[in-house]
Amino acid sequence: MKFKRPDCLTKESMHYCPGCGHGIIHRLIAEVIDEDYKESKIIGVAPVGCAVFIYDYFNFDFVAAAHGRATAAATGVKRSIPDALVFSYQGDGDIAAIGTSEVIHAATRGENFTAIFVNNGVYAMTGGQMAPTTIPGQVTVSSPYGRDPKVQGYHIKLCEMLVPLDGVAFVARTSIHNLKNIELTKKAIKRAFEVQMNNEGFSIIEVLSNCPTNWGLSPCESMKRIENEVLKYYSLGIFKDKGRGI
Amino acid sequence: MKILMKGNEAIAEAALRAGCDCFFGYPITPQTELLQYMAKKLLKSGGVFIQAESEVGAINMAYGAASCGKRVMTSSSGPGISLKQEGISYLAGAQLPCVIVNIMRGGPGLGNINAAQSDYLQATKGGGHGDYKVIVLAPSSVQEAVELTMKAFDLADKYRNPVMILGDGMLGQMMEVVEFDDSYQPQKMEKPWAVTGDRNREKRVTNSLYIVPEELEKHNLKLREKYKKIKENEVMVEEYLADDARVIFVSFGMCARIVKSAVNRLRQAGEKVGLVRPITLWPFPENELKSYASKEEVEFFIDIEMNLGQMLEDVKLSVEGKKEVHFYGRTGGMVPTIQEIMDFYYSLEK
């Protein structure tokens, strides 16, 4: 196998910080599209947050949404062009705080698109503030004494919240902290896109990712942190796959 | 064929005839019948209808569908339009066509559900963030609401800009006889910018982000040029018995209709009064008002609104201090009567 840049990625250099997980996740999406959807109509919906420039890195159409509203915009897109593969790409601040209402209702309606939810536990672009997904004890610039559930409440487990909704066809939480999990993430994306193209309903993949810059860790240390700390609060796996009876 | 229709439903029917493919809304009084009409008709005709989880959801769904080149409508009333302002700014920034109906109620806050003109400033001066403009059309009858709704879709596509139909609760709730022009065909415009997912061409992105200041300034200046063109070409105004008038009433929407009756009565009583009714609230008919202000026989202006003078600034700016502008308005969902307007006129004449 020849290692090369996927066809649907542009030659643009990514703006992400060194060691950031977005680059890996972008590549996985690109590989799946190259492998399975070469001829398909594709529309991505970009978020506000670190991945705000995602449309620069893929060579297919994009709609750039307002903060938190990507799942609402994606609803309008997919309903307008039902035969396109549509995915929103959103961070935790975007989808699990300001966009909670939009994602829950898109999921409830069974909107036939895929949300790719990158969870690194902080608002990274604005400088590392506490996110709804920040785990208990985690120090951020806006939880400087560590997140205390008694004061700041608990971390949100979006996947678990979405599983019981009837409109939801596929829910998985994966991680990119090592090769095995990177491979599993790609499989989950592949399956989610398949579920979408089979018109089964809403699909979402939460990808546990890292933020070396705002975590104050080296890229390697940040991957270890996912494994040693983050996974204690967020279990991995396929929580729901309607079509396969899971 | 003439039919009796409720304002909200007539607007919905006009939108369907104008080729509206997608409607995203949320119930709020006094515009809900518009949403209900769409629910009944749009799905059956193969269009997209979603009752969204919120006004924020609705306007952002509209943003998504407008990005795909569809003819899109959303509707609400004051409090809901406030929530939609985020999306309206993004639509304007990304230069996306969308028709937004605001059937106004009393404000601020929850206000009430009565007819009012409480959102003039919000509609015409921005509402959302940034340097942008929305074309605002203010019908004064159900028939005119029908015609302006159809025109709104064409204007939105022509300029790639949001267009607002600004009516009040009275327009939405009243029934009037309307006639639809069966020969009307919606204009089909090429949308070479629309996101369709097609892989056999250069990619397309709908976006309002210009992170480099020089680029954002360039974008804003480009928008300004567009707004200038709209100002030059799209002003609509009704001038009623104003030619030889000594006193010019200025009023918009349903309120202007009451003023028109007052003008008729005053004319019968021998008073030389006339009415100038802006149909486009943005672009505002400033040149038309200015020309009346320059006429020797015009002594003063009277602005009548169902608010506390939200259009007054625009009237005064147009008149340029050449003549005095008096104001009479009712607020809180109160509708001025013909007699009140006449009394106010006579109080100035004393």
Side-chain angles (χ1 to χ4, degrees):
Chain A
M1 195 182 104
K2 199 175 149 196
F3 188 82
K4 64 174 187 74
R5 181 188 287 268
D7 289 343
C8 70
L9 281 182
T10 61
K11 295 213 162 67
E12 199 82 20
S13 309
M14 291 183 190
H15 70 286
Y16 300 113
C17 303
C20 167
H22 277 307
I24 298 170
I25 302 162
H26 284 15
R27 185 181 168 102
L28 296 178
I29 296 169
E31 285 180 0
V32 172
I33 289 172
D34 277 8
E35 287 164 21
D36 299 347
Y37 303 97
K38 222 155 183 114
E39 307 298 324
S40 305
K41 290 181 187 172
I42 315 266
I43 302 172
V45 180
V48 173
C50 286
V52 73
F53 298 119
I54 186 173
Y55 44 75
D56 284 339
Y57 309 136
F58 289 91
N59 58 22
F60 48 76
D61 289 2
F62 258 90
V63 170
H67 54 173
R69 316 301 179 214
T71 48
T75 297
V77 169
K78 182 71 185 196
R79 294 278 188 126
S80 298
I81 308 181
D83 60 336
L85 176 78
V86 177
F87 69 92
S88 71
Y89 187 98
Q90 301 173 263
D92 41 62
D94 196 77
I95 199 170
I98 193 168
T100 324
S101 165
E102 283 76 7
V103 69
I104 286 176
H105 288 277
T108 301
R109 288 190 303 267
E111 296 295 342
N112 229 332
F113 67 84
T114 304
I116 295 172
F117 159 30
V118 180
N119 179 2
N120 60 16
V122 283
Y123 283 80
M125 187 183 241
T126 46
Q129 294 79 18
M130 185 181 73
T133 49
T134 298
I135 58 178
Q138 187 176 339
V139 172
T140 73
V141 289
S142 58
S143 56
Y145 311 111
R147 180 176 201 155
D148 178 355
K150 287 200 185 93
V151 181
Q152 288 113 338
Y154 291 93
H155 58 299
I156 203 164
K157 289 183 263 188
L158 189 65
C159 281
E160 286 86 340
M161 282 168 61
L162 296 177
V163 166
L165 303 177
D166 293 332
V168 175
F170 181 83
V171 183
R173 185 182 288 121
T174 66
S175 173
I176 51 145
H177 69 279
N178 59 28
L179 282 175
K180 182 186 141 210
N181 280 286
I182 289 173
E183 201 44 46
L184 288 172
T185 300
K186 182 174 169 182
K187 271 194 177 154
I189 295 170
K190 221 176 210 306
R191 178 64 188 146
F193 284 178
E194 191 182 29
V195 163
Q196 177 187 163
M197 294 318 259
N198 290 340
N199 292 315
E200 290 178 45
F202 186 74
S203 50
I204 182 166
I205 308 135
E206 175 176 341
V207 186
L208 299 180
S209 188
N210 59 335
C211 181
T213 302
N214 288 299
W215 292 0
L217 299 172
S218 74
C220 289
E221 287 166 345
S222 70
M223 292 303 188
K224 285 201 183 94
R225 178 179 175 266
I226 297 178
E227 183 157 24
N228 299 331
E229 294 175 45
V230 181
L231 286 182
K232 282 185 211 158
Y233 293 91
Y234 293 108
S235 54
L236 302 180
I238 293 170
F239 299 139
K240 189 172 188 178
D241 189 341
K242 237 181 182 176
R244 289 182 178 163
I246 298 169
Chain B
M1 192 180 66
K2 286 184 174 169
I3 42 173
L4 188 64
M5 277 189 104
K6 201 170 192 176
N8 283 331
E9 294 177 342
I11 291 171
E13 178 61 31
L16 294 172
R17 286 169 185 253
C20 174
D21 309 290
C22 305
F23 179 90
F24 307 97
Y26 189 78
I28 182 173
T29 310
Q31 66 81 43
T32 304
E33 295 84 357
L34 207 166
L35 169 124
Q36 290 168 188
Y37 195 91
M38 286 301 201
K40 207 168 170 183
K41 301 274 174 132
L42 199 49
L43 285 174
K44 282 217 162 163
S45 64
V48 175
F49 169 87
I50 298 181
Q51 181 174 320
E53 65 278 12
S54 69
E55 288 87 349
V56 177
I59 193 79
N60 283 286
M61 289 172 198
Y63 177 93
S67 292
C68 298
K70 298 290 176 182
R71 281 202 150 179
V72 183
M73 179 184 253
T74 183
S75 68
S76 194
S77 185
I81 293 289
S82 297
L83 291 171
K84 285 184 201 282
Q85 293 299 340
E86 170 193 277
I88 296 173
S89 167
Y90 279 76
L91 284 160
Q95 298 202 79
L96 294 174
C98 180
V99 176
I100 301 149
V101 181
N102 181 1
I103 300 297
M104 293 179 281
R105 53 191 269 172
L110 211 43
N112 63 22
I113 56 168
N114 291 68
Q117 296 182 321
S118 50
D119 307 343
Y120 177 93
L121 286 170
Q122 187 193 45
T124 59
K125 308 296 178 198
H129 56 285
D131 280 326
Y132 77 91
K133 285 289 178 193
V134 168
I135 300 172
V136 184
L137 310 176
S140 74
S141 69
V142 177
Q143 181 66 48
E144 194 181 31
V146 161
E147 285 152 19
L148 291 180
T149 300
M150 288 170 165
K151 192 175 171 82
F153 280 96
D154 293 339
L155 285 173
D157 278 352
K158 182 175 172 188
Y159 293 103
R160 290 182 59 186
N161 207 65
V163 178
M164 184 178 282
I165 303 287
L166 192 70
D168 63 63
M170 209 181 340
L171 180 82
Q173 293 300 319
M174 77 190 293
M175 288 185 92
E176 277 195 294
V177 169
V178 287
E179 199 165 14
F180 290 93
D181 175 5
D182 288 327
S183 67
Y184 166 83
Q185 287 293 329
Q187 287 181 24
K188 285 265 176 243
M189 283 179 218
E190 289 295 310
K191 295 184 176 177
W193 47 267
V195 164
T196 58
D198 190 347
R199 309 279 293 279
N200 303 313
R201 53 155 169 76
E202 285 282 292
K203 73 169 171 184
R204 296 171 182 172
V205 178
T206 56
N207 191 13
S208 61
L209 178 68
Y210 295 84
I211 202 81
V212 178
E214 286 82 358
E215 283 177 17
L216 181 56
E217 185 174 57
K218 215 166 112 191
H219 176 61
N220 276 322
L221 292 174
K222 199 174 100 188
L223 290 180
R224 186 173 70 177
E225 280 309 301
K226 173 168 86 175
Y227 301 145
K228 208 176 129 207
K229 212 185 279 172
I230 297 172
K231 264 181 138 176
E232 283 163 9
N233 298 322
E234 307 300 343
V235 169
M236 287 186 277
V237 61
E238 182 191 357
E239 290 153 88
Y240 182 70
L241 304 178
D243 264 0
D244 64 339
R246 207 171 51 76
V247 175
I248 305 275
F249 282 97
V250 189
S251 188
F252 73 95
M254 291 299 283
C255 188
R257 224 162 125 183
I258 303 165
V259 175
K260 201 182 225 179
S261 300
V263 165
N264 285 337
R265 294 250 198 108
L266 288 166
R267 279 274 173 178
Q268 279 163 14
E271 302 292 331
K272 277 194 169 179
V273 294
L275 166 69
V276 176
R277 175 174 71 94
I279 298 170
T280 47
L281 299 184
W282 194 89
F284 193 73
E286 48 197 57
N287 290 334
E288 288 73 6
L289 278 173
K290 199 195 295 182
S291 70
Y292 284 107
S294 310
K295 284 172 84 169
E296 219 169 280
E297 65 265 34
V298 172
E299 289 173 23
F300 58 87
F301 289 75
I302 305 175
D303 176 13
I304 311 268
E305 299 181 59
M306 275 152 47
N307 59 45
L308 290 178
Q310 296 196 19
M311 184 176 68
L312 185 58
E313 286 172 21
D314 283 337
V315 177
K316 283 187 171 175
L317 282 170
S318 307
V319 167
E320 291 179 334
K322 290 189 175 96
K323 300 284 155 67
E324 210 166 333
V325 184
H326 300 278
F327 174 75
Y328 182 78
R330 294 299 301 270
T331 176
M334 294 298 294
V335 179
T337 63
I338 298 168
Q339 192 59 50
E340 274 173 59
I341 295 163
M342 290 171 67
D343 289 348
F344 183 72
Y345 168 81
Y346 283 124
S347 76
L348 295 170
E349 285 294 296
K350 272 177 197 161

